[in-house]
């Protein structure tokens, strides 16, 4: 590679001439998207790809020595080394970046809490030392997003809103919209073509087929509506006619079963769910960036 070049931040293709990169990013059939690219919005991907990179700017700074990919910041390189670099994993090499995962420090305004998992020692303000037996598991949840495969965080939805959503004619889509009002639930990113996507799972990003994402979302929404029914009917805290609630739950069950067996219905519902996720895309990118930077 010459002294300066351009790099596609979507697929990591490199070239020397800007005209080549312009042609590359404007192709009708977009290049295959790498997992790391999802932390950038579509606008950021194009802007970064059209910015010339100078070798002296990245040499020995933000260059992955295992796969030769360049990154605009040390945090991006660090995240790549920890979670994404296949060459590093194949070589089974331990770097300083991966070692730092075992020492997690949270700087609070009042207390400085340091957890060293390798020795199972917790120090608070350096005045209290608590030794934890090796048989005890320490689970420090420093990530801000909930995993896609786990239940959504619905602490922002009170019983009155649960009733409104259960009674709504658009139960599934309205419930999803309200669930995504809580930023901790923004764990899905769909590509602009709506043909592929990623989810935030177990502290990392994972590729998933878009049909699997939408099918899983529909399953979770039905389970959530069933949960609303249980919360409202046992006990009947809002003094609502139980038959009304049962009828609404049965309606949700019928819609859910139709989605499962009718391809036409499934396609229409998938489009609605996709559009809801796409509306939140820019905010989701920011939340994933923030969570990954906090976690790593």
């Amino acid at each position: 590679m010459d002294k300066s070049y351009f790099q596609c931040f979507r697929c990591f293709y490199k070239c020397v001439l800007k005209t080549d990169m312009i042609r590359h990013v404007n192709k009708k059939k977009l290049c295959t998207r790498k997992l790391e690219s999802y932390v950038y919005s579509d606008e950021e991907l194009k802007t970064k790809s059209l910015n010339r990179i100078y070798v002296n700017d990245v040499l020995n700074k933000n260059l992955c020595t295992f796969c030769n990919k360049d990154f605009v910041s040390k945090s991006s390189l660090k995240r790549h080394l920890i979670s994404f670099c296949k060459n590093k994993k194949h070589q089974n090499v331990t770097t300083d970046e991966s070692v730092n995962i075992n020492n997690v420090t949270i700087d609070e305004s009042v207390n400085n809490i340091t957890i060293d998992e390798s020795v199972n020692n917790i120090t608070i303000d350096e005045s209290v030392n608590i030794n934890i037996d090796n048989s005890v598991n320490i689970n420090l949840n420093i990530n801000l997003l909930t995993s896609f495969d786990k239940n959504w965080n619905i602490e922002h939805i009170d019983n009155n809103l649960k009733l409104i959503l259960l009674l709504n004619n658009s139960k599934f889509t309205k419930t999803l919209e309200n669930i995504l009002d809580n930023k901790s639930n923004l764990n899905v990113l769909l590509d602009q073509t709506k043909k592929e996507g990623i989810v935030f799972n177990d502290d990392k990003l994972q590729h998933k087929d878009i049909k699997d994402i939408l099918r899983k979302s529909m399953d979770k929404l039905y389970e959530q509506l069933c949960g609303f029914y249980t919360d409202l009917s046992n006990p009947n805290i809002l003094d609502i006619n139980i038959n009304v609630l049962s009828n609404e739950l049965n309606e949700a069950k019928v819609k859910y079963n139709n989605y499962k067996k009718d391809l036409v219905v499934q396609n229409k519902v998938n489009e609605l769910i996709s559009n809801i996720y796409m509306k939140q895309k820019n905010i989701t990118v920011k939340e994933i960036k923030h969570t990954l930077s906090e976690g790593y």
Side-chain angles (χ1 to χ4, degrees):
M1 189 59 65
D2 291 349
K3 293 183 178 180
S4 67
Y5 58 92
F6 294 91
Q7 175 178 279
C8 174
F9 277 76
R10 180 184 174 92
C11 71
F12 290 99
Y13 159 76
K14 294 179 181 179
C15 62
V16 176
L17 299 178
K18 188 170 185 176
T19 52
D20 290 340
M21 183 56 65
I22 293 174
R23 188 181 305 111
H24 174 80
V25 298
N26 289 323
K27 290 190 299 184
K28 289 185 178 180
K29 184 177 180 180
L30 297 175
C31 55
T32 302
R33 189 163 188 168
K34 299 296 185 182
L35 201 59
E36 299 97 318
S37 72
Y38 280 94
V39 297
Y40 300 115
S41 67
D42 294 327
E43 294 77 13
E44 287 177 316
L45 284 173
K46 193 167 185 178
T47 299
K48 291 178 180 295
S49 298
L50 295 177
N51 285 336
R52 183 176 293 276
I53 297 174
Y54 295 90
V55 174
N56 290 337
D57 291 340
V58 297
L59 189 60
N60 298 324
K61 290 184 179 180
N62 304 321
L63 179 69
C64 176
T65 57
F66 298 103
C67 64
N68 203 35
K69 291 180 181 178
D70 302 317
F71 297 88
V72 294
S73 66
K74 289 184 178 180
S75 60
S76 296
L77 172 60
K78 190 174 182 181
R79 181 167 59 247
H80 166 77
L81 287 168
I82 293 171
S83 300
F84 301 119
C85 186
K86 294 181 180 179
N87 290 359
K88 170 179 170 290
K89 292 176 182 178
H90 290 161
Q91 294 183 36
N92 195 26
V93 177
T94 301
T95 67
D96 290 340
E97 285 79 3
S98 60
V99 172
N100 287 337
I101 288 182
N102 292 326
N103 298 309
V104 183
T105 301
I106 301 178
D107 189 6
E108 303 280 354
S109 58
V110 179
N111 296 319
N112 291 315
I113 303 175
T114 303
I115 295 185
D116 187 344
E117 294 179 352
S118 61
V119 296
N120 296 316
N121 182 68
I122 301 179
T123 302
I124 303 178
D125 278 344
E126 300 183 352
S127 59
V128 180
N129 290 292
I130 305 175
N131 292 319
I132 307 296
D133 186 81
N134 287 332
S135 62
V136 179
N137 292 324
I138 300 175
N139 181 20
L140 178 65
N141 184 17
I142 58 177
N143 290 300
L144 307 179
L145 294 182
T146 57
S147 290
F148 176 72
D149 286 343
K150 296 181 180 178
N151 293 331
W152 283 302
N153 181 347
I154 60 165
E155 60 184 15
H156 63 298
I157 299 179
D158 61 18
N159 289 322
N160 289 318
L161 183 52
K162 290 176 185 178
L163 177 61
I164 292 173
L165 294 173
L166 194 58
L167 295 175
N168 199 291
N169 289 332
S170 304
K171 305 180 194 306
F172 290 88
T173 54
K174 289 298 180 184
T175 297
L176 180 58
E177 288 174 352
N178 279 270
I179 284 173
L180 297 184
D181 283 341
N182 187 328
K183 291 183 178 181
S184 67
N185 296 321
L186 296 175
N187 49 29
V188 173
L189 271 176
L190 304 182
D191 190 31
Q192 59 187 4
T193 62
K194 296 183 183 178
K195 294 182 180 179
E196 60 178 315
I198 63 167
V199 297
F200 180 84
N201 247 346
D202 298 327
D203 306 338
K204 58 182 178 294
L205 300 179
Q206 296 177 345
H207 269 298
K208 273 188 179 292
D209 184 275
I210 191 168
K211 291 183 178 179
D212 292 335
I213 294 176
L214 299 176
R215 190 181 303 114
K216 176 71 173 180
S217 297
M218 193 63 176
D219 291 342
K220 291 173 66 177
L221 285 169
Y222 177 65
E223 292 175 4
Q224 198 67 75
L225 289 169
C226 291
F228 290 169
Y229 171 82
T230 301
D231 294 341
L232 294 170
S233 62
N234 188 22
N236 191 347
I237 53 179
L238 295 181
D239 196 25
I240 303 298
N241 188 322
I242 194 65
N243 291 327
V244 173
L245 294 178
S246 297
N247 289 337
E248 294 299 329
L249 183 62
N250 286 334
E251 182 182 327
K253 184 177 182 180
V254 169
K255 289 184 175 182
Y256 177 67
N257 288 335
N258 286 340
Y259 172 85
K260 285 290 192 179
K261 64 184 181 182
D262 191 324
L263 186 59
V264 175
V265 172
Q266 189 175 119
N267 289 336
K268 289 181 179 179
V269 174
N270 283 349
E271 182 68 19
L272 292 172
I273 294 177
S274 297
N275 289 338
I276 293 172
Y277 281 131
M278 291 297 287
K279 287 180 181 178
Q280 298 284 359
K281 184 172 182 179
N282 289 338
I283 301 176
T284 301
V285 168
K286 292 179 182 178
E287 291 304 312
I288 289 180
K289 280 184 179 180
H290 183 51
T291 294
L292 291 177
S293 64
E294 287 292 321
Y296 301 137

